[in-house]
Amino acid sequence: MEDKLSGHRGAIKADWDQNQYYAQAEAWVAIFWAEDSLFLAQFRKLNLTAVLELACGHGRHTGQILRLAGVITLVDINQSNIDACRARFEGEGHLRFICNAGNDLPGVADASQTAIFCYDAMVHFELMDVLDYLRECRRVLAPGGRALLHVSNNGENPEGHYQQNRHWRNFGNIDVVRHFADRVGLRVLSHQVFEWSGEPMLDGLVLLEKPVA
Ligand SMILES: C[S@@+](CC[C@H](N)C(=O)[O-])C[C@H]1O[C@@H](n2cnc3c(N)ncnc32)[C@H](O)[C@@H]1O
């Protein structure tokens, strides 16, 4: 029998397979990349030699850093999104593509990444999957490597399904993410809470670092 966590993960996966969001979201990518964006201020603290984008969708963020990065690894739970990114970035020799199981980074070598980022996606994930991804970040980051993660700070509806919540934010909490990060061996360099579409304090952004020693 499928366990409850897998059931929620599978439902979230299905929601983001072939969604019209991808075409529409291209229009508001500036939230993340405009000069005054709080995301960009933190993103500039990443070393892009070997960068992994988790939950890449159709690649609107990788499109912004194509000429700034060394090797880019795009990861997503939906094969349709990986296929869309392959088509979008055809001919770009410095990209790798991985379809994963929703809580892992398969085929990514230990200590191989200088940076990981995840925008507008982890806010929807099951909190237990966020914990698994933090462990994976600790594993695949090189010493001194950093992860910039946009997470949910929605404390409502802990037993519910994410679609019942404001802006489909799953149950989450920035301080719990900080705690998880600390306990799996990542240093919290910064953390911010901010509004999303007029909902105060709904989202969070954490910048984490794998210690050098
Ligand atoms: C709202 S879209 C955002 C896509 C992209 N980050 C963007 O901002 O355009 C959510 C993304 O998360 C992916 N996703 C959902 N659950 C996931 C999981 N557990 N692990 C990895 N990716 C997941 C979806 O396939 C989709 O690409």
Side-chain angles (χ1 to χ4, degrees), residues 52-104:
L52 184 151
E53 183 184 357
L54 175 60
C56 56
H58 283 200
R60 65 180 173 141
H61 302 301
T62 282
Q64 299 285 323
I65 60 165
L66 210 49
R67 300 278 160 258
L68 304 176
V71 177
I72 309 176
T73 302
L74 293 97
V75 179
D76 201 281
I77 194 172
N78 277 303
Q79 185 62 48
S80 56
N81 288 340
I82 294 300
D83 294 344
C85 286
R86 274 190 194 280
R88 179 174 185 162
F89 301 119
E90 195 184 351
E92 297 290 348
H94 62 309
L95 269 55
R96 298 175 60 216
F97 302 92
I98 297 172
C99 186
N100 74 346
N103 63 344
D104 57 356

Side-chain angles (χ1 to χ4, degrees), residues 14 16 27 34 37 43 57 121 176 180 188 200 210:
W16 299 104
S37 163
F43 190 87
V176 169
F180 284 166
V188 181
K210 178 166 168 174

Side-chain angles (χ1 to χ4, degrees), residues 111-176:
S112 62
Q113 304 298 304
T114 57
I116 296 170
F117 74 103
C118 183
Y119 287 169
D120 202 27
M122 231 170 209
V123 289
H124 305 304
F125 295 2
E126 291 290 302
L127 188 53
M128 291 171 75
D129 289 341
V130 173
L131 172 57
D132 286 347
Y133 277 127
L134 289 168
R135 288 199 177 100
E136 283 288 77
C137 287
R138 175 72 173 75
R139 180 181 68 77
V140 306
L141 281 173
R146 293 176 176 178
L148 181 61
L149 307 176
H150 175 198
V151 298
S152 173
N153 191 45
N154 166 48
E156 295 169 4
N157 202 13
E159 292 106 2
H161 185 61
Y162 84 131
Q163 277 198 14
Q164 299 161 336
N165 303 341
R166 293 168 294 160
H167 300 289
W168 288 15
R169 266 43 187 167
N170 214 325
F171 175 70
N173 180 280
I174 185 106
D175 295 326
V176 169

Side-chain angles (χ1 to χ4, degrees), residues 179-198:
H179 173 81
F180 284 166
D182 179 81
R183 294 304 193 262
V184 303
L186 293 166
R187 206 152 64 89
V188 181
L189 297 183
S190 72
H191 58 94
Q192 286 154 287
V193 169
F194 53 94
E195 64 89 30
W196 190 264
S197 281

